[in-house]
């Protein structure tokens, strides 16, 4: 059974990757997850300098999912290159660096600093960050700003450039089309869905960051709809994610138009989730009477 | 140190320890070699695992205990487990207590469900400590006081007990007896676990002299250091920084932490 897929120029041994922010910088799950078996890993978002993140509590369990308000805490690109990249270079899997910034300049600073470094297979722009020059609304809110940041970053690098969409927008297809026009190589979708919870014991918002991002099975239908819509709006490949726990979930994303997927929240409860899916995928494909992952990509799209 | 793994362990006994408090003993030779103060992440229905400290570690019998208070759906589900059932556990996790210094008076200070890891520490190291060993246990009321008999079976002199309502022991918090102990043993070593305000007060009290190790709680995602959910503010070489309770802790030296 052929599990290999391509996301543009990036070839993955199988379509299962770890989602940004849920797998640290790689070594944290050593001994629990065999990284070499994964299709790839997306590391925690990296900014030009250190970001402190939000006050705790930073996570809160909800029905069928969880909220997080980590606030993109990370040590900055310099420390990342010095302390985390050496380990990532030794891994036998694809490494995707998730990039964050509060201005277009900041995104470019990170990407330019990474240019000198080996061991990076793709960049994933997280455009859900607050755009401080435009009053804190995220870059991902409208096609114009999403295209501006993507165009600027495109000019700094030849590396495969994936743009990660926020689902908290009216028309994700339009945003995907806008970033495709200015040179994005793939679309990652989706980031978390904005939400909140109240801690009745404290009579306060449950999260230190007040609102947070919903992830886990609860958002899978939202994610599938975004992937399905984006697949009809662009011709570049899609990396799908949102609530994936099982091989059947993966196949749903493939059929909706994703070429590969990422698993995030499910790893917290079951660190073995990704490897279990990779294990089960050949049998599942055989039952569907296909001989490669490739045959399923977009199978549920209109006209297929 | 045992590296963490996901495994299933059989419950060999289940005990009601106090109102809403249950202890499960697992047949788990690997976990039984953990360090007191370390914890496990237990699979319960729902999105996230539940962090629980070891209440007992018996490497000879290959048994590890988990003692918890029922506070929500996860712990309620755990309390419904019976002898012979299996638990899905990720662990052992985190940095436990250090081995106590043999010649420093040692005081174990537990509040509520903070008491169990101190019992694990006591039984692991009491024979190593030649100086005096004391325990101070606090609870909301008599109904909620756990492990007094367990401690009593190990320590041959009276154990200080406090309750918020005075239903058993002295009315008040563990701070009263601890201040007393500290005055008599200014260079002593304190191991404490309990609610954050209690730990903050222990840290303040121990600022002048002696050493204190505190076992903290924080809401967790992964439990292995990957998600940065479980942070507390600590002193770093270049100013304050967040440290992860699951990976850098749960046990910290009092002066490492910054209290808001
Ligand atoms: C390192 C560590 C060790 C612990 N050891 C023990 C122990 O030995 N005995 C014991 O009774 N309790 C212990 N706790 C607290 C225990 O984890 C919570 O009481 C439990 O997770 C509550 O789950 P629930 O579903 O019943 O409650 P809910 O309040 O419904 O839980 C909702 C969510 O909040 C989290 N949560 C709730 N309270 C806490 C808390 N105090 N700390 C961290 N997360 C929390 C839960 O894990 C879950 O994700 C420990 C916590 C930590 C971090
Ligand atoms: C704790 C946590 C931290 C995250 N951090 C990031 C991040 O730094 N950058 C990013 O692009 N996405 C981040 N995400 C979003 C995930 O990568 C993923 O898009 C989302 O959680 C949906 O997938 P899931 O339901 O499988 O978790 C984070 C998610 C979680 C739960
Ligand atoms: S719980 Fe994920 S870093 Fe501590």
């Amino acid at each position: 059974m052929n599990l290999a897929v391509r996301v543009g120029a990036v070839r993955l041994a199988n379509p299962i990757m770890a989602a940004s922010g849920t797998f640290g910088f790689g070594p944290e799950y050593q001994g629990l997850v065999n990284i070499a078996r994964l299709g790839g890993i997306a590391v925690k978002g990296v900014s030009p300098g250190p970001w402190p993140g939000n006050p705790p509590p930073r996570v809160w369990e909800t029905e069928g999912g969880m909220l997080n308000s980590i606030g993109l805490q990370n040590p900055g690109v310099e420390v990342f290159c010095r302390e985390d990249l050496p380990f990532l270079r030794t891994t036998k899997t694809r490494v995707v660096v998730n990039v964050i910034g509060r201005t277009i300049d900041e995104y470019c600073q990170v990407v330019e600093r990474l240019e000198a470094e080996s061991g990076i297979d793709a960049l994933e722009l997280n455009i859900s960050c607050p755009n401080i020059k435009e009053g804190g609304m995220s870059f991902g809110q409208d096609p114009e700003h999403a295209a501006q940041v993507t165009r600027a970053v495109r000019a700094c690098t030849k590396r495969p450039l994936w743009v990660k969409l926020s689902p908290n927008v009216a028309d994700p297809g339009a945003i995907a089309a806008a970033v495709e026009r200015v040179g994005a190589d793939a679309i990652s979708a989706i980031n978390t869905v904005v939400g909140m919870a109240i801690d009745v014991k404290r009579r306060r918002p449950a999260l230190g960051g007040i609102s947070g991002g919903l992830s886990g099975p609860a958002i899978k239908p939202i994610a599938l709809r975004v992937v399905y819509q984006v697949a009809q709006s662009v011709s570049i490949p899609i990396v799908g994610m949102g609530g994936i726990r099982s091989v059947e979930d993966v196949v749903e994303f493939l059929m909706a138009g994703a070429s590969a997927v990422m698993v995030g929240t499910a790893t917290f409860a079951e660190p073995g989730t990704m490897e279990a899916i990779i294990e089960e995928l050949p049998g599942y494909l055989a039952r569907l009477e296909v001989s490669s992952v490739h045959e399923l990509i977009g199978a549920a799209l209109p006209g297929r | 140190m045992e590296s963490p793994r996901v495994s299933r362990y059989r419950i060999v006994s289940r005990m009601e320890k106090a109102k809403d408090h249950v202890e499960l003993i697992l047949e788990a030779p690997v976990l039984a070699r953990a360090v007191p103060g370390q914890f496990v992440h237990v699979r319960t229905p729902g999105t996230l695992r539940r962090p629980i400290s070891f209440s007992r570690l018996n490497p000879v019998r290959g048994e590890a205990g988990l003692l918890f208070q029922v506070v929500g759906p996860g712990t309620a589900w755990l309390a419904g487990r019976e002898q012979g059932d299996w638990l899905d556990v990720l662990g052992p996790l985190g940095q436990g207590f250090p081995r106590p210094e043999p010649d420093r008076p040692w005081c174990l200070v537990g509040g509520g469900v903070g008491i169990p890891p101190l019992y694990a520490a006591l039984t692991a190291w009491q024979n190593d400590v030649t100086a005096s060993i004391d325990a101070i246990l606090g609870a909301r009321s008599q109904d909620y006081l756990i492990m007094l008999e367990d401690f009593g079976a190990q320590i041959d002199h009276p154990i200080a007990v406090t309750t918020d309502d005075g239903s058993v022991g002295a009315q008040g918090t563990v701070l009263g007896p601890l201040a007393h102990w500290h005055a008599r043993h200014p260079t002593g070593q304190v191991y404490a676990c309990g609610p954050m305000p209690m730990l903050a007060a222990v840290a303040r009290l121990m600022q002048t002299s002696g050493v204190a190790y505190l076992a903290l709680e924080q809401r967790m995602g992964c439990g292995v250091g990957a998600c940065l959910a479980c942070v507390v503010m600590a002193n770093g070489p270049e100013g304050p920084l967040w440290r992860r309770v699951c990976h850098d802790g749960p046990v910290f030296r009092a002066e490492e932490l910054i209290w808001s």
Side-chain angles (χ1 to χ4, degrees), chain A residues 14-63:
Chain A
N14 65 68
I16 314 299
M17 291 181 274
S20 174
T22 64
F23 209 70
F25 289 118
E28 293 84 351
Y29 271 104
Q30 251 184 323
L32 292 163
V33 176
N34 180 2
I35 298 178
R37 288 226 54 201
L38 308 180
I41 60 175
V43 300
K44 179 83 200 146
V46 179
S47 50
W51 281 13
N54 286 323
R58 287 177 167 188
V59 290
W60 196 263
E61 190 175 278
T62 61
E63 198 60 49

Short mmCIF file of all heavy atoms in Angstrom, two decimals, chain A residues 14-63:
data_model
loop_
_atom_site.label_atom_id
_atom_site.label_comp_id
_atom_site.label_asym_id
_atom_site.label_seq_id
_atom_site.Cartn_x
_atom_site.Cartn_y
_atom_site.Cartn_z
N ASN A 14 4.05 9.40 4.78
CA ASN A 14 2.62 9.11 4.99
C ASN A 14 1.95 10.43 5.31
O ASN A 14 2.62 11.41 5.63
CB ASN A 14 2.44 8.06 6.11
CG ASN A 14 2.90 8.59 7.45
OD1 ASN A 14 2.29 9.50 8.00
ND2 ASN A 14 4.00 8.05 7.96
N PRO A 15 0.61 10.48 5.25
CA PRO A 15 -0.04 11.79 5.34
C PRO A 15 -0.27 12.31 6.76
O PRO A 15 -0.97 13.32 6.93
CB PRO A 15 -1.39 11.54 4.64
CG PRO A 15 -1.66 10.09 4.82
CD PRO A 15 -0.32 9.40 4.87
N ILE A 16 0.30 11.66 7.77
CA ILE A 16 -0.02 12.01 9.16
C ILE A 16 1.10 12.83 9.81
O ILE A 16 2.22 12.35 10.00
CB ILE A 16 -0.25 10.74 10.02
CG1 ILE A 16 -1.14 9.72 9.30
CG2 ILE A 16 -0.80 11.11 11.40
CD1 ILE A 16 -2.54 10.21 8.98
N MET A 17 0.76 14.07 10.18
CA MET A 17 1.74 14.96 10.82
C MET A 17 1.21 15.42 12.18
O MET A 17 0.01 15.38 12.44
CB MET A 17 2.00 16.19 9.94
CG MET A 17 2.74 15.87 8.65
SD MET A 17 3.06 17.36 7.67
CE MET A 17 1.52 17.46 6.77
N ALA A 18 2.14 15.90 13.02
CA ALA A 18 1.77 16.48 14.31
C ALA A 18 1.48 17.97 14.12
O ALA A 18 2.22 18.66 13.43
CB ALA A 18 2.90 16.30 15.32
N ALA A 19 0.40 18.46 14.76
CA ALA A 19 -0.03 19.84 14.57
C ALA A 19 0.75 20.80 15.47
O ALA A 19 1.09 20.47 16.62
CB ALA A 19 -1.53 19.97 14.85
N SER A 20 0.99 21.98 14.95
CA SER A 20 1.74 23.00 15.68
C SER A 20 1.14 23.30 17.05
O SER A 20 -0.07 23.43 17.20
CB SER A 20 1.76 24.28 14.85
OG SER A 20 2.36 25.32 15.57
N GLY A 21 2.02 23.41 18.03
CA GLY A 21 1.60 23.80 19.38
C GLY A 21 1.21 22.63 20.25
O GLY A 21 1.07 22.78 21.46
N THR A 22 1.05 21.46 19.64
CA THR A 22 0.65 20.29 20.42
C THR A 22 1.79 19.28 20.54
O THR A 22 1.66 18.27 21.22
CB THR A 22 -0.55 19.56 19.78
OG1 THR A 22 -0.16 19.06 18.50
CG2 THR A 22 -1.72 20.52 19.60
N PHE A 23 2.91 19.58 19.88
CA PHE A 23 4.01 18.62 19.85
C PHE A 23 5.34 19.30 20.22
O PHE A 23 6.41 18.79 19.93
CB PHE A 23 4.09 17.98 18.46
CG PHE A 23 4.65 16.59 18.46
CD1 PHE A 23 3.93 15.54 18.99
CD2 PHE A 23 5.91 16.33 17.94
CE1 PHE A 23 4.44 14.25 19.00
CE2 PHE A 23 6.44 15.04 17.94
CZ PHE A 23 5.70 14.00 18.48
N GLY A 24 5.23 20.49 20.86
CA GLY A 24 6.43 21.20 21.31
C GLY A 24 7.38 21.46 20.16
O GLY A 24 6.96 21.82 19.05
N PHE A 25 8.67 21.28 20.43
CA PHE A 25 9.69 21.42 19.40
C PHE A 25 10.26 20.06 19.01
O PHE A 25 11.35 19.97 18.45
CB PHE A 25 10.79 22.38 19.85
CG PHE A 25 10.34 23.82 19.90
CD1 PHE A 25 10.33 24.52 21.08
CD2 PHE A 25 9.89 24.45 18.75
CE1 PHE A 25 9.91 25.85 21.12
CE2 PHE A 25 9.45 25.77 18.77
CZ PHE A 25 9.46 26.47 19.96
N GLY A 26 9.55 19.00 19.36
CA GLY A 26 9.97 17.67 18.91
C GLY A 26 10.35 16.70 20.00
O GLY A 26 9.82 15.59 20.07
N PRO A 27 11.29 17.07 20.90
CA PRO A 27 11.82 16.06 21.83
C PRO A 27 10.86 15.70 22.97
O PRO A 27 11.06 14.67 23.62
CB PRO A 27 13.09 16.70 22.39
CG PRO A 27 12.90 18.17 22.21
CD PRO A 27 12.02 18.34 21.00
N GLU A 28 9.85 16.53 23.21
CA GLU A 28 9.01 16.34 24.40
C GLU A 28 8.34 14.97 24.44
O GLU A 28 8.16 14.40 25.50
CB GLU A 28 7.96 17.44 24.49
CG GLU A 28 8.54 18.84 24.76
CD GLU A 28 9.00 19.56 23.51
OE1 GLU A 28 9.04 18.92 22.42
OE2 GLU A 28 9.35 20.74 23.60
N TYR A 29 7.94 14.47 23.29
CA TYR A 29 7.23 13.18 23.25
C TYR A 29 8.16 12.00 22.97
O TYR A 29 7.71 10.89 22.70
CB TYR A 29 6.12 13.22 22.19
CG TYR A 29 4.80 13.73 22.75
CD1 TYR A 29 4.35 15.01 22.48
CD2 TYR A 29 4.00 12.92 23.55
CE1 TYR A 29 3.14 15.48 22.99
CE2 TYR A 29 2.80 13.37 24.06
CZ TYR A 29 2.37 14.65 23.78
OH TYR A 29 1.18 15.09 24.30
N GLN A 30 9.49 12.25 23.03
CA GLN A 30 10.42 11.15 22.79
C GLN A 30 10.16 10.01 23.76
O GLN A 30 9.94 10.23 24.94
CB GLN A 30 11.85 11.64 22.97
CG GLN A 30 12.60 11.75 21.67
CD GLN A 30 14.04 12.15 21.89
OE1 GLN A 30 14.33 12.95 22.77
NE2 GLN A 30 14.91 11.60 21.09
N GLY A 31 10.23 8.80 23.26
CA GLY A 31 9.95 7.64 24.11
C GLY A 31 8.47 7.28 24.11
O GLY A 31 8.09 6.17 24.44
N LEU A 32 7.62 8.24 23.76
CA LEU A 32 6.17 7.98 23.71
C LEU A 32 5.68 7.93 22.27
O LEU A 32 4.73 7.22 21.96
CB LEU A 32 5.41 9.07 24.48
CG LEU A 32 5.64 9.08 25.99
CD1 LEU A 32 5.21 10.41 26.60
CD2 LEU A 32 4.88 7.94 26.64
N VAL A 33 6.32 8.72 21.41
CA VAL A 33 5.95 8.75 20.00
C VAL A 33 7.23 8.53 19.20
O VAL A 33 8.25 9.17 19.47
CB VAL A 33 5.33 10.11 19.61
CG1 VAL A 33 5.04 10.16 18.12
CG2 VAL A 33 4.06 10.38 20.42
N ASN A 34 7.19 7.64 18.23
CA ASN A 34 8.32 7.41 17.36
C ASN A 34 8.25 8.41 16.20
O ASN A 34 7.55 8.18 15.21
CB ASN A 34 8.31 5.98 16.85
CG ASN A 34 9.48 5.69 15.93
OD1 ASN A 34 10.33 6.56 15.68
ND2 ASN A 34 9.54 4.48 15.40
N ILE A 35 8.97 9.51 16.36
CA ILE A 35 8.88 10.61 15.39
C ILE A 35 9.20 10.15 13.98
O ILE A 35 8.60 10.62 13.01
CB ILE A 35 9.82 11.77 15.81
CG1 ILE A 35 9.40 12.33 17.17
CG2 ILE A 35 9.82 12.88 14.78
CD1 ILE A 35 10.29 13.43 17.67
N ALA A 36 10.13 9.21 13.87
CA ALA A 36 10.56 8.76 12.54
C ALA A 36 9.41 8.14 11.74
O ALA A 36 9.45 8.11 10.51
CB ALA A 36 11.70 7.75 12.68
N ARG A 37 8.39 7.66 12.43
CA ARG A 37 7.26 7.04 11.73
C ARG A 37 6.28 8.06 11.17
O ARG A 37 5.45 7.74 10.32
CB ARG A 37 6.49 6.11 12.68
CG ARG A 37 7.24 4.85 13.01
CD ARG A 37 6.35 3.62 12.90
NE ARG A 37 5.68 3.47 11.63
CZ ARG A 37 4.59 2.74 11.44
NH1 ARG A 37 4.04 2.11 12.44
NH2 ARG A 37 4.04 2.64 10.25
N LEU A 38 6.32 9.29 11.69
CA LEU A 38 5.33 10.29 11.30
C LEU A 38 5.63 10.84 9.92
O LEU A 38 6.78 10.88 9.48
CB LEU A 38 5.30 11.44 12.32
CG LEU A 38 5.14 11.03 13.79
CD1 LEU A 38 5.13 12.27 14.68
CD2 LEU A 38 3.88 10.21 13.99
N GLY A 39 4.60 11.32 9.25
CA GLY A 39 4.80 12.01 7.98
C GLY A 39 5.56 13.30 8.18
O GLY A 39 6.34 13.71 7.32
N GLY A 40 5.37 13.94 9.32
CA GLY A 40 6.07 15.18 9.61
C GLY A 40 5.62 15.74 10.93
O GLY A 40 4.68 15.23 11.55
N ILE A 41 6.34 16.78 11.38
CA ILE A 41 5.89 17.49 12.59
C ILE A 41 5.94 18.99 12.33
O ILE A 41 6.88 19.50 11.72
CB ILE A 41 6.72 17.13 13.85
CG1 ILE A 41 8.19 17.48 13.68
CG2 ILE A 41 6.57 15.67 14.20
CD1 ILE A 41 9.00 17.24 14.95
N ALA A 42 4.90 19.68 12.81
CA ALA A 42 4.90 21.14 12.79
C ALA A 42 5.23 21.59 14.21
O ALA A 42 4.56 21.17 15.16
CB ALA A 42 3.55 21.68 12.36
N VAL A 43 6.27 22.41 14.34
CA VAL A 43 6.68 22.83 15.68
C VAL A 43 5.84 24.01 16.14
O VAL A 43 5.11 24.63 15.36
CB VAL A 43 8.18 23.18 15.74
CG1 VAL A 43 9.03 21.98 15.35
CG2 VAL A 43 8.50 24.39 14.86
N LYS A 44 5.94 24.29 17.41
CA LYS A 44 5.30 25.45 18.04
C LYS A 44 5.62 26.73 17.26
O LYS A 44 6.72 26.87 16.74
CB LYS A 44 5.85 25.52 19.47
CG LYS A 44 5.35 26.65 20.30
CD LYS A 44 4.01 26.34 20.92
CE LYS A 44 3.27 27.60 21.35
NZ LYS A 44 1.82 27.47 21.18
N GLY A 45 4.66 27.68 17.22
CA GLY A 45 4.88 28.95 16.52
C GLY A 45 6.13 29.67 17.01
O GLY A 45 6.38 29.73 18.21
N VAL A 46 6.92 30.20 16.05
CA VAL A 46 8.18 30.89 16.38
C VAL A 46 8.09 32.35 15.95
O VAL A 46 7.74 32.65 14.80
CB VAL A 46 9.37 30.20 15.66
CG1 VAL A 46 10.67 30.91 15.98
CG2 VAL A 46 9.46 28.73 16.05
N SER A 47 8.43 33.26 16.87
CA SER A 47 8.39 34.71 16.61
C SER A 47 9.81 35.26 16.60
O SER A 47 10.75 34.56 16.95
CB SER A 47 7.53 35.39 17.67
OG SER A 47 7.93 34.99 18.97
N PRO A 48 9.99 36.54 16.22
CA PRO A 48 11.36 37.07 16.14
C PRO A 48 12.07 37.07 17.50
O PRO A 48 13.21 36.63 17.60
CB PRO A 48 11.17 38.50 15.65
CG PRO A 48 9.77 38.66 15.25
CD PRO A 48 8.98 37.50 15.74
N GLY A 49 11.41 37.56 18.53
CA GLY A 49 11.97 37.52 19.88
C GLY A 49 11.06 36.68 20.74
O GLY A 49 10.06 36.16 20.27
N PRO A 50 11.42 36.51 22.04
CA PRO A 50 10.56 35.70 22.91
C PRO A 50 9.18 36.32 23.12
O PRO A 50 9.08 37.54 23.26
CB PRO A 50 11.33 35.64 24.23
CG PRO A 50 12.41 36.67 24.14
CD PRO A 50 12.63 36.99 22.71
N TRP A 51 8.14 35.50 23.11
CA TRP A 51 6.79 35.94 23.48
C TRP A 51 6.43 35.24 24.79
O TRP A 51 6.63 34.03 24.92
CB TRP A 51 5.77 35.53 22.41
CG TRP A 51 5.76 36.42 21.20
CD1 TRP A 51 6.70 37.36 20.85
CD2 TRP A 51 4.77 36.43 20.15
NE1 TRP A 51 6.35 37.95 19.65
CE2 TRP A 51 5.18 37.41 19.20
CE3 TRP A 51 3.59 35.71 19.93
CZ2 TRP A 51 4.44 37.67 18.06
CZ3 TRP A 51 2.86 35.98 18.78
CH2 TRP A 51 3.27 36.96 17.85
N PRO A 52 5.91 35.99 25.75
CA PRO A 52 5.64 35.40 27.07
C PRO A 52 4.38 34.53 27.11
O PRO A 52 4.26 33.66 27.96
CB PRO A 52 5.47 36.61 27.97
CG PRO A 52 5.01 37.71 27.07
CD PRO A 52 5.62 37.43 25.73
N GLY A 53 3.45 34.77 26.22
CA GLY A 53 2.19 34.03 26.29
C GLY A 53 1.27 34.60 27.35
O GLY A 53 1.56 35.65 27.93
N ASN A 54 0.17 33.91 27.60
CA ASN A 54 -0.88 34.40 28.49
C ASN A 54 -0.73 33.86 29.90
O ASN A 54 -0.10 32.81 30.11
CB ASN A 54 -2.26 33.98 27.95
CG ASN A 54 -2.65 34.80 26.74
OD1 ASN A 54 -2.37 36.00 26.67
ND2 ASN A 54 -3.29 34.15 25.78
N PRO A 55 -1.35 34.53 30.88
CA PRO A 55 -1.36 33.98 32.23
C PRO A 55 -2.20 32.70 32.29
O PRO A 55 -3.14 32.55 31.51
CB PRO A 55 -2.01 35.08 33.08
CG PRO A 55 -2.74 35.95 32.13
CD PRO A 55 -2.06 35.83 30.79
N PRO A 56 -1.88 31.76 33.20
CA PRO A 56 -2.72 30.59 33.37
C PRO A 56 -4.02 30.95 34.08
O PRO A 56 -4.07 32.05 34.65
CB PRO A 56 -1.86 29.68 34.25
CG PRO A 56 -0.88 30.58 34.94
CD PRO A 56 -0.70 31.78 34.08
N PRO A 57 -5.05 30.12 34.08
CA PRO A 57 -5.12 28.84 33.37
C PRO A 57 -5.09 29.02 31.85
O PRO A 57 -5.70 29.93 31.32
CB PRO A 57 -6.46 28.26 33.81
CG PRO A 57 -6.92 29.05 35.00
CD PRO A 57 -6.26 30.37 34.89
N ARG A 58 -4.38 28.11 31.21
CA ARG A 58 -4.23 28.21 29.76
C ARG A 58 -5.02 27.14 29.00
O ARG A 58 -5.05 27.18 27.76
CB ARG A 58 -2.75 28.08 29.40
CG ARG A 58 -1.92 29.31 29.74
CD ARG A 58 -0.47 29.05 29.42
NE ARG A 58 0.31 30.28 29.45
CZ ARG A 58 1.58 30.34 29.04
NH1 ARG A 58 2.19 29.26 28.58
NH2 ARG A 58 2.23 31.48 29.09
N VAL A 59 -5.54 26.16 29.69
CA VAL A 59 -6.39 25.17 29.01
C VAL A 59 -7.64 24.92 29.85
O VAL A 59 -7.63 25.08 31.08
CB VAL A 59 -5.68 23.81 28.77
CG1 VAL A 59 -4.60 23.95 27.72
CG2 VAL A 59 -5.12 23.23 30.06
N TRP A 60 -8.68 24.50 29.17
CA TRP A 60 -9.95 24.21 29.84
C TRP A 60 -10.67 23.16 29.01
O TRP A 60 -10.88 23.37 27.82
CB TRP A 60 -10.79 25.50 29.92
CG TRP A 60 -11.92 25.39 30.90
CD1 TRP A 60 -13.21 25.08 30.61
CD2 TRP A 60 -11.86 25.60 32.32
NE1 TRP A 60 -13.96 25.08 31.76
CE2 TRP A 60 -13.15 25.40 32.82
CE3 TRP A 60 -10.83 25.94 33.21
CZ2 TRP A 60 -13.44 25.52 34.19
CZ3 TRP A 60 -11.12 26.06 34.55
CH2 TRP A 60 -12.42 25.85 35.02
N GLU A 61 -11.04 22.06 29.63
CA GLU A 61 -11.74 21.02 28.88
C GLU A 61 -13.18 21.43 28.61
O GLU A 61 -13.82 22.04 29.47
CB GLU A 61 -11.72 19.71 29.68
CG GLU A 61 -12.22 18.53 28.85
CD GLU A 61 -12.09 17.21 29.60
OE1 GLU A 61 -10.99 16.65 29.59
OE2 GLU A 61 -13.08 16.76 30.18
N THR A 62 -13.65 21.14 27.42
CA THR A 62 -15.05 21.42 27.07
C THR A 62 -15.65 20.14 26.48
O THR A 62 -14.94 19.18 26.23
CB THR A 62 -15.14 22.54 26.01
OG1 THR A 62 -14.46 22.11 24.83
CG2 THR A 62 -14.52 23.83 26.52
N GLU A 63 -16.95 20.16 26.26
CA GLU A 63 -17.63 19.00 25.70
C GLU A 63 -17.02 18.66 24.33
O GLU A 63 -17.07 19.49 23.42
CB GLU A 63 -19.13 19.32 25.56
CG GLU A 63 -20.01 18.12 25.40
CD GLU A 63 -19.93 17.14 26.56
OE1 GLU A 63 -20.04 17.57 27.74
OE2 GLU A 63 -19.75 15.94 26.29
#
